[in-house]
Amino acid sequence: EKLRMHCLVGTSLIDGRLGVALHYGRDAVLPWRWIVDELRVLDDGTLLGMTVINLPVLRHLAFPFLLRRES
């Protein structure tokens, strides 16, 4: 509830592939206005998330995390 995000289909900042990304918007507090979380499916219950800081020097670095569905 504290951070609104928009889920958008677009080109990955990491490798240029088509994917889904969460954008927090230009009005978000620092540093979230520069953060993009890209999501990719690993299997039926797991998403690979990659946090990207969308600034010129840092744009091609990704900080990975996993989202797992509980049964």
Side-chain angles (χ1 to χ4, degrees):
E1 293 181 17
K2 298 218 178 219
L3 287 174
R4 290 181 178 239
M5 62 185 88
H6 302 280
C7 183
L8 303 170
V9 175
T11 304
S12 170
L13 296 170
I14 300 164
D15 62 8
R17 293 172 44 191
L18 187 63
V20 174
L22 303 175
H23 294 263
Y24 298 91
R26 293 182 183 168
D27 295 332
V29 296
L30 292 175
W32 295 103
R33 65 183 68 174
W34 300 313
I35 300 294
V36 177
D37 288 324
E38 296 188 6
L39 303 174
R40 299 194 182 168
V41 176
L42 288 182
D43 59 41
D44 287 343
T46 309
L47 294 176
L48 170 62
M50 295 171 285
T51 297
V52 178
I53 303 170
N54 193 10
L55 292 172
V57 176
L58 302 172
R59 187 171 292 133
H60 297 290
L61 296 175
F63 301 93
F65 62 93
L66 293 177
L67 296 173
R68 293 195 175 121
R69 181 181 308 169
E70 290 188 20
S71 306

